[in-house]
Each structure stands twice: as C-alpha cells, then as structure tokens.
Amino acid sequence: WYRHLGSAPDGAQSVGLGRVTPRMVRSLPASLAFLMTIARPTTSYVQMRSFVRPATPLRPRADVSALVGVEPVLALQALGSAFEHELGAYPLQVNALVTGCTYFIGDAVAQLIQGGQPCAKRAVRAFVVGLLFLGPLSHYWYSWTADQDLQVCAKVLLDNTLFLSLDNCAFLGALTLLGGCPSGHGSVAGTAGAAGASESVAGAISELWSMQVLGWKFLPFIALLNYALVPAQHRVIFVDAADVVFAAALSMQRFNPPVGPAVVAPPFSHSPSDLPTL
C-alpha cells in the first residue's frame, strides 16, 4: 500500500492504521476499483468451475473412436428388449410368426440346393404352414410340457415320439390342404380334383415314416439342450432356430422333383384280348 502511493517511510511495514494520511484516503476508491476489476473474473471463473457441469463430459479422441463399436451392441440390446416385451405380451403370435419365418427360410434353402427355377408359391406356402399350423402347435406343446412335473429324459422322449409325429402329420396335412406347386416342384405337382387329393394323402402317409427317421437323426440332441438349458418362454424360439436345417430337409424330401417322366398306364379296354384266360 505504501509502495503504491510512493510515500512509504522506513519501517512502514510495521505501521498500523494510525499512520493513515489524507493522500491515502483520497486514493482509496481508485485502489478498491482496481482490486475489484482483478477479482471479478477470478470469482466468476471459480463459480463456473464449482457449479456448472457440462451436459456431456468431454473425452479424448481415442475414446470417441471406440464408441463406434458400441452402437451396434446398443442397437441389438434395444431389439432384444423389444422382442422380449412382445414375446411376453403376445407369446402365441410371436412364436407362430417365428415358426413361419423358419419354414420360409428352410424352404428357400431347399430350393437353392435343389436348383432349377425358384417357386415363390412353395416358399409362401411353407410360411403359411409354419404360421397357422406348426407355430401354434409348438407353442401349446411347450406350454404344456412346462407345466408338467416330469424329468428331462421323459420330456425328451415325449418330444421325439408324440410331438414329432404330430408335427410331421401337421406339416404333411397342411401341405396337402394347400395343394402343390406347379412346374414340377413337388410330388403332387400338376394334380387337381379328387384324384389329386387322394394322391396327395397317399403320398403324405407314405412319407411320414421317412420324416420320422429324418427327425430322429438330430432332434433328440436339440430337445435335450432345449429342456435342460433353455427357459420355458424361449423353447419355441430355440427349436425354430435349430429347425431351419430340419425344415430344409423336410422340403427337399417332400418336394423332390421327379427324376424322369411319369409313366401313365394305358386305359383298360373291355376287349376279349384283355380278359384273363382260365
């Protein structure tokens, strides 16, 4: 203070307020204004650092680049949460829709393996079969087994005997009701009327045992994992994920294109030469 005024005597550091002079009083307002000018920005800075927080904390550039890989994970988590919500609210509809998509994909894979001209009607028919027949059947079956106090081995045995038979019968029966696919895709292609329906039923009955054997090749292991590890509400989804291969195999077996031209027997005539000789 004394050095600022230029009138500091020797030993002024130890002088108290009793040595205040008129010149010091006259320069007091100017000195206070100078100190306040310096103190105001410092006070504002301290207040901002103490009470104001940015909405999003700043991160180094290396961390920002790492966020690019997190966004797909967050999107998958959001989709999973939405799927879980819909599955809990509408279990029958969701299971039926997933089963329909499973058989649609399986039939598309079978057509790619078989080659030839793709048949959209056949793939749509497989989707309808899964949506209206196999999906509800699987939903009610796994809901029933979840309520039964049975061991895992017993459930696996029922799954590969009773349920597999019902599932194959529903698959073949639904395809018989919906009809065949034109242009040689399928064993019932080109048939119409009562004769075509009877041939379709006969073909479905003859193929049932072969489909049972086909299912026993890998479905017991899938059923064991399903009942032992998967929660009850997700068992239909797990089976549908594994049934893509089985659905493709069923479509290939059911709609195997003919190897050669069909041999048609000549009509029976009532001439004497056609009658049996005794």
Side-chain angles (χ1 to χ4, degrees), residues 241-264:
D243 272 356
V244 174
V245 178
F246 183 61
L250 287 180
S251 296
M252 292 178 63
Q253 184 170 337
R254 175 61 175 167
F255 298 101
N256 189 21
V259 178
V263 178
V264 181

Side-chain angles (χ1 to χ4, degrees), residues 186-261:
S187 59
V188 294
T191 58
S198 61
E199 291 179 5
S200 300
V201 172
I205 295 175
S206 64
E207 293 171 1
L208 180 60
W209 176 251
S210 60
M211 290 184 175
Q212 289 284 116
V213 175
L214 179 64
W216 288 335
K217 292 181 178 180
F218 68 99
L219 287 182
F221 179 71
I222 300 300
L224 180 61
L225 294 179
N226 195 17
Y227 285 111
L229 302 178
V230 181
Q233 68 272 16
H234 296 150
R235 285 174 182 169
V236 178
I237 307 301
F238 178 80
V239 170
D240 288 337
D243 272 356
V244 174
V245 178
F246 183 61
L250 287 180
S251 296
M252 292 178 63
Q253 184 170 337
R254 175 61 175 167
F255 298 101
N256 189 21
V259 178

Side-chain angles (χ1 to χ4, degrees), residues 42-155:
T42 307
T43 306
S44 302
Y45 176 76
V46 173
Q47 291 177 354
M48 290 181 62
R49 293 286 295 177
S50 302
F51 301 101
V52 178
R53 294 290 183 269
T56 303
L58 298 179
R59 297 182 179 181
R61 297 178 64 96
D63 294 341
V64 174
S65 62
L67 293 177
V68 179
V70 179
E71 294 178 358
V73 176
L74 296 178
L76 290 178
Q77 291 178 353
L79 290 177
S81 301
F83 181 80
E84 288 290 337
H85 178 268
E86 295 298 325
L87 182 62
Y90 310 99
L92 175 60
Q93 292 84 344
V94 173
N95 289 329
L97 181 61
V98 173
T99 305
C101 295
T102 297
Y103 278 83
F104 178 85
I105 296 173
D107 187 83
V109 172
Q111 292 192 44
L112 291 176
I113 296 175
Q114 289 176 335
Q117 183 178 2
C119 182
K121 182 179 177 180
R122 170 179 156 180
V124 173
R125 185 172 62 251
F127 172 78
V128 174
V129 170
L131 178 67
L132 300 181
F133 297 92
L134 304 182
L137 177 63
S138 300
H139 170 76
Y140 288 115
W141 172 263
Y142 287 106
S143 298
W144 179 78
T145 55
D147 297 334
Q148 304 302 316
D149 189 12
L150 298 174
Q151 298 295 328
V152 174
C153 296
K155 293 182 179 181

